[in-house]
Amino acid sequence: GCQFPHLDGGERPCRKRDDYLEWPEYFMAVAFLSAQRSKDPNSQVGACIVNTENKIVGIGYNGMPNGCSDDLLPWRRAADSRLDTKYPYVCHAELNAIMNKNSTDVKGCSIYVALFPCNECAKLIIQAGIKDVIFMSDKYHDSEEATAARRLFDLAGIEYRKFTPRCSQIVIDFDSISRRAGQKPQ
């Protein structure tokens, strides 16, 4: 149990952990973990949609459409023809998260994304009724796509904000479940 006797015969209560993941870190971590499913050699992006009860209702990452072989379609960013790049084919994480939703709709939900959405994803987010966008990186801030996305979000009344994590890394240790309580990792 959690209680254990002191030498003086009294018991010292067991306190809950104070280094647990808070909801925003948890949801952004889920987005980043799902990004690891992406086969894109240049950019791996994940998205996690959450309702007002802190329940995850959709997860996605960037990849080729279902049934379209990602061995036959191009992954390159530049080529003589745009048709030989990934851009006409790849589905972004936000699109996949919305399409993968496990509830009837995502109205009023928040979406956690690794990268600020492009204008195409902004349109999908708006049309799906998502009200809040939480993003980690805005590295394409000055691009036309990001500028158009912000314009659309502003017009539609969608809140968007940069995520500031409490810690820079979350380590997933598959061996931790086998260690006894109080035992330190090797």
Side-chain angles (χ1 to χ4, degrees):
C2 224
Q3 307 252 3
F4 54 93
H6 276 294
L7 295 176
D8 64 6
E11 289 191 348
R12 187 166 68 199
C14 184
R15 298 196 194 288
K16 70 178 184 182
R17 289 174 54 223
D18 58 8
D19 59 345
Y20 61 90
L21 284 181
E22 297 208 7
W23 286 121
E25 277 78 15
Y26 175 67
F27 298 135
M28 190 60 81
V30 168
F32 268 72
L33 183 62
S34 68
Q36 295 305 304
R37 285 277 312 141
S38 175
K39 296 173 186 171
D40 190 320
N42 295 300
S43 105
Q44 301 83 45
V45 180
C48 177
I49 302 172
V50 181
N51 70 14
T52 55
E53 298 174 331
N54 285 329
K55 292 178 181 166
I56 294 173
V57 296
I59 297 174
Y61 55 89
N62 58 314
M64 296 302 178
N66 294 336
C68 299
S69 173
D70 49 33
D71 290 322
L72 300 177
L73 290 170
W75 286 105
R76 67 183 66 86
R77 297 174 72 155
D80 290 339
S81 169
R82 183 170 159 78
L83 291 174
D84 293 326
T85 71
K86 66 181 178 177
Y87 299 109
Y89 311 108
V90 76
C91 295
H92 285 182
E94 299 92 328
L95 179 153
N96 282 328
I98 291 166
M99 295 305 294
N100 292 342
K101 67 184 186 292
N102 59 16
S103 61
T104 51
D105 64 41
V106 290
K107 281 184 175 51
C109 287
S110 299
I111 187 166
Y112 287 77
V113 287
L115 191 59
F116 186 83
C118 71
N119 60 307
E120 292 299 322
C121 290
K123 291 187 271 186
L124 291 167
I125 287 165
I126 292 165
Q127 294 300 82
I130 292 170
K131 290 294 175 204
D132 202 24
V133 177
I134 303 97
F135 61 93
M136 187 76 199
S137 171
D138 194 14
K139 66 180 177 179
Y140 301 118
H141 180 87
D142 296 327
S143 70
E144 291 179 351
E145 291 81 3
T147 302
R150 285 191 303 276
R151 186 178 296 172
L152 289 167
F153 286 152
D154 290 342
L155 288 168
I158 308 294
E159 302 265 332
Y160 52 93
R161 65 185 179 279
K162 185 165 174 40
F163 178 72
T164 307
R166 286 180 17 184
C167 55
S168 63
Q169 279 193 331
I170 294 168
V171 177
I172 296 173
D173 177 4
F174 286 122
D175 292 327
S176 67
I177 198 73
S178 299
R179 283 194 289 279
R180 289 191 310 276
Q183 183 183 352
K184 295 288 184 219
Q186 301 297 325

